[in-house]
Amino acid sequence: MKLNEKILHYRKAAKLSQEELAAQVGVSRQAVSKWELGDATPEVDKLLALAKAFGVTTDELLSGEEPAGVQGCTPPPREETPVYTVPSAPAGDNFDRATGLIGRLIRRYGWLAGVYIAVGGLPIAIIGALARWGFGAMFAASSDMMDSMGGFGGLGGMGGVEFSPGTPPEVQQAILEELGMVPAASPLGGVEGFFLGAATVAMAAGVVMMIAGAVLAAWLYQKGNKKL
């Protein structure tokens, strides 16, 4: 019985896969496959490790005699089992264990996705609120400056009508309407509406993300705990 046939026999007798035997001996799975196919011969230190893994002596491993009760053991055909082919894993082995682990992680920690969404919505809401406040203050200051200059968009100084400082805009509007005078539209009105609207949308989107993320996290957390 050749050495490659003995390695194959003892590995199967020990119920070891090529990966498990390779790990015990300290080589790659391809090296074990080459040994069993007879394409390579183990080094002396690897022979000792093989004998230890199989629970036999090196003499038994190197002897040309067949082990007791063996009716012959031939290596797998080269056509069916190339060196680069990964051997089929037993049921529930590598792939099943990996997918099962991923599924358990999703069930246990999937609620963190909702937390990330909620946390991501917080800065968006803050930026939108700050932008709305900043744009509002900027356009209010521009409007006050134009009013003080009696320019376009201002209610004071229109058509010879003068208002005392501090007169509320709504009072000025009512007086002008009674006199049949309509104040000119401010050229900043459209720009102001655009920027304030965009800031409001951003703030609302952030708030929606926070609420949706919190609800999703709570739902996934309860669902994951029920399945564990």
Side-chain angles (χ1 to χ4, degrees):
M1 194 174 194
K2 297 180 180 180
L3 176 59
N4 63 313
E5 296 174 343
K6 279 204 169 184
I7 294 175
L8 176 61
H9 165 72
Y10 282 126
R11 178 177 67 80
K12 290 186 175 181
K15 297 181 179 180
L16 294 173
S17 65
Q18 288 185 341
E19 290 86 351
E20 293 170 339
L21 178 59
Q24 293 188 29
V25 177
V27 296
S28 64
R29 185 202 64 79
Q30 287 78 5
V32 174
S33 179
K34 288 183 178 181
W35 294 344
E36 295 181 351
L37 290 170
D39 291 339
T41 303
E43 299 175 358
V44 176
D45 59 330
K46 303 306 179 186
L47 286 172
L48 295 174
L50 285 170
K52 182 178 179 181
F54 296 147
V56 298
T57 64
T58 54
D59 291 339
E60 291 176 316
L61 186 61
L62 295 173
S63 173
E65 299 179 358
E66 293 185 353
V70 176
Q71 299 298 325
C73 185
T74 57
R78 296 176 184 274
E79 296 78 14
E80 299 180 2
T81 313
V83 174
Y84 56 84
T85 301
V86 178
S88 58
D93 201 15
N94 299 332
F95 181 76
D96 292 337
R97 289 201 298 266
T99 54
L101 176 61
I102 293 174
R104 289 193 297 271
L105 288 176
I106 292 175
R107 289 193 296 270
R108 181 179 291 273
Y109 301 109
W111 59 274
L112 290 176
V115 175
Y116 295 149
I117 294 174
V119 172
L122 179 60
I124 296 177
I126 293 176
I127 292 173
L130 291 176
R132 180 176 174 79
W133 174 82
F135 288 137
M138 180 181 69
F139 287 114
S142 300
S143 179
D144 291 342
M145 182 177 64
M146 282 189 253
D147 287 346
S148 63
M149 296 173 61
F152 29 75
L155 293 177
M158 289 193 60
V161 179
E162 295 288 342
F163 296 103
S164 60
T167 303
E170 57 271 16
V171 175
Q172 299 181 29
Q173 178 73 23
I175 294 175
L176 291 175
E177 289 178 355
E178 290 182 0
L179 295 176
M181 302 174 64
V182 179
S186 171
L188 297 177
V191 178
E192 179 181 1
F194 172 78
F195 283 101
L196 290 180
T200 302
V201 170
M203 182 175 64
V207 173
V208 170
M209 286 180 62
M210 293 169 60
I211 297 174
V215 173
L216 179 63
W219 179 72
L220 289 176
Y221 183 79
Q222 293 178 356
K223 185 178 179 180
N225 285 341
K226 289 180 180 178
K227 291 185 177 181
L228 292 177

